[in-house]
Amino acid sequence: MTKIFMHEYYLSLAVNEARNAKNDDEVPVGAVVVLNNKIIGRGFNQVLKSNSVSAHAEIIAMNKAGEYLKNYRLVNCDLYVSVEPCYMCCMAMVHARIKNLYFGLKQPKTGAVVSIDNFFSKPEHNHNVAYKYLGECRKSKNLLVDFFAERR
């Protein structure tokens, strides 16, 4: 599998998770954690359902990966997210030691990776998370646009 196809494939799985969030009336964001080409964690936003401010897709996916590995450190794991992560999720990635973050849609209001800040470029972090914006994912954008249009 080529790297480009691999990124598209895992991002599409994150978008599928985002659909699960939308179906539960949650903001449609999804994530998957990958280690050695195997998915070890999946998640979608569940803030309202769980009454938890931290129930973001990224956190849930990393928690499931930690359960799988029996370790909160997710060394050498990649995280694919349908939408650019917020500050909370970025810091969790640093603590988890995520190797690479890939995301498919910039988030101009809350995105801490490149949109409102460059969180991972700060030298004071004790771990560097490499990241790549994979280019605008039309499916992620459509899910968000439709979700918020339905609420207006």
Side-chain angles (χ1 to χ4, degrees), residues 83-85 103 105-112 115-116 144:
V83 178
E84 180 181 2
F103 62 97
L105 185 65
K106 290 182 182 178
Q107 180 45 272
K109 292 185 179 183
T110 61
S115 292
I116 61 172
L144 282 170

Side-chain angles (χ1 to χ4, degrees), residues 33-36 40-41 59 61-79 90-100 125-129:
V33 178
V34 179
L35 177 63
N36 299 324
I40 62 169
I59 304 289
M62 287 188 289
N63 284 342
K64 289 183 178 178
E67 290 171 13
Y68 176 84
L69 294 174
K70 298 185 182 0
N71 192 335
Y72 74 102
R73 299 282 196 210
L74 305 178
V75 177
N76 294 318
C77 290
D78 297 330
L79 179 62
C90 288
M91 194 68 224
M93 287 177 229
V94 169
H95 287 306
R97 305 299 194 263
I98 290 291
K99 183 176 182 179
N100 297 297
H125 295 307
N126 60 351
H127 172 73
N128 293 317
V129 176

Side-chain angles (χ1 to χ4, degrees), residues 130-150:
Y131 63 88
K132 184 171 185 174
Y133 167 54
L134 295 175
E136 187 168 301
C137 177
R138 185 177 42 80
K139 290 178 182 175
S140 290
K141 184 175 184 175
N142 290 344
L143 278 171
L144 282 170
V145 168
D146 292 348
F147 177 82
F148 288 111
E150 291 168 6

Side-chain angles (χ1 to χ4, degrees), residues 22-39:
K22 185 175 185 286
N23 291 340
D24 278 354
D25 292 325
E26 299 273 1
V27 175
V29 178
V32 295
V33 178
V34 179
L35 177 63
N36 299 324
N37 295 318
K38 179 179 181 177
I39 296 167

Side-chain angles (χ1 to χ4, degrees), residues 112-124:
V113 181
V114 296
S115 292
I116 61 172
D117 196 2
N118 297 106
F119 183 85
F120 293 126
S121 345
K122 301 193 182 313
E124 58 271 13

Side-chain angles (χ1 to χ4, degrees), residues 8-62:
E8 288 176 4
Y9 173 70
Y10 291 127
L11 183 59
S12 73
L13 296 179
V15 171
N16 286 343
E17 292 297 318
R19 280 191 194 94
N20 292 334
K22 185 175 185 286
N23 291 340
D24 278 354
D25 292 325
E26 299 273 1
V27 175
V29 178
V32 295
V33 178
V34 179
L35 177 63
N36 299 324
N37 295 318
K38 179 179 181 177
I39 296 167
I40 62 169
R42 296 172 184 262
F44 57 90
N45 276 3
Q46 297 178 41
V47 175
L48 300 173
K49 180 179 180 180
S50 66
N51 295 309
S52 173
V53 68
S54 64
H56 288 199
E58 302 92 325
I59 304 289
I60 293 168
M62 287 188 289

